Amino acid sequence: MELIMLAAGGLGLILFILSFFLKDHSKNTEEELQELSMSLYQELSQLKKRTKLLEEELMIEPDSSQRKARPKQINEILINQVLSLHKQGMKPDQISALSSLHISDVKRIINH
């Protein structure tokens, strides 16, 4: 009985000493988790900033003076189609209904 008690005590002492020399994997895992959560926090923060900027850009509408000063750019192909339809005898309101252009843009292209 005493032999079993000594063997168990000796084994416990050996395992206790051995535990000081083994690497602690939980520290590495904890550090990796902390780095991951910091990087996710930074990415989330950047996404929030970008979203806020986009929301601000969408909320800002140009003044009427800016709209008049800078006419809308119209594709050359669309201009040719408008002129072709006008030569075929179509009225500006019909051309506007067929195209994605406002009637004022259609009239401006025809009169240009």
Side-chain angles (χ1 to χ4, degrees), residues 18 29 60:
L18 188 61
T29 306
I60 298 173

Side-chain angles (χ1 to χ4, degrees), residues 71-75 77-112:
K72 184 169 66 171
Q73 294 289 331
I74 301 173
N75 190 342
I77 295 171
L78 196 53
I79 292 172
N80 291 334
Q81 287 177 344
V82 168
L83 293 174
S84 175
L85 291 173
H86 179 67
K87 285 179 185 176
Q88 292 175 11
M90 292 186 97
K91 295 181 182 179
D93 58 335
Q94 294 172 326
I95 296 172
S96 175
L98 291 174
S99 68
S100 61
L101 298 173
H102 190 269
I103 192 165
S104 62
D105 292 331
V106 172
K107 289 179 181 178
R108 185 170 43 91
I109 291 170
I110 292 171
N111 293 331
H112 193 273

Side-chain angles (χ1 to χ4, degrees), residues 5 9 12 26-27 29 36 40 47 54 79 84 90 94 96:
M5 294 290 277
S26 64
K27 280 189 178 182
T29 306
L36 178 64
L40 287 174
L47 285 173
L54 286 173
I79 292 172
S84 175
M90 292 186 97
Q94 294 172 326
S96 175

Side-chain angles (χ1 to χ4, degrees), residues 16-104:
F16 180 72
I17 293 171
L18 188 61
S19 69
F20 286 110
F21 296 108
L22 293 177
K23 289 185 178 180
D24 189 12
H25 295 291
S26 64
K27 280 189 178 182
N28 291 340
T29 306
E30 186 178 325
E31 288 175 2
E32 288 176 7
L33 181 62
Q34 188 174 8
E35 288 177 18
L36 178 64
S37 86
M38 285 301 294
S39 67
L40 287 174
Y41 177 76
Q42 289 173 348
E43 288 180 27
L44 183 62
S45 176
Q46 289 176 352
L47 285 173
K48 285 182 180 180
K49 286 179 185 177
R50 289 179 185 170
T51 303
K52 185 177 179 183
L53 287 174
L54 286 173
E55 287 174 350
E56 288 175 357
E57 286 179 14
L58 291 175
M59 295 295 268
I60 298 173
E61 293 182 13
D63 297 340
S64 58
S65 61
Q66 289 178 345
R67 271 189 240 137
K68 290 179 183 176
R70 189 173 41 133
K72 184 169 66 171
Q73 294 289 331
I74 301 173
N75 190 342
E76 190 70 31
I77 295 171
L78 196 53
I79 292 172
N80 291 334
Q81 287 177 344
V82 168
L83 293 174
S84 175
L85 291 173
H86 179 67
K87 285 179 185 176
Q88 292 175 11
M90 292 186 97
K91 295 181 182 179
D93 58 335
Q94 294 172 326
I95 296 172
S96 175
L98 291 174
S99 68
S100 61
L101 298 173
H102 190 269
I103 192 165
S104 62

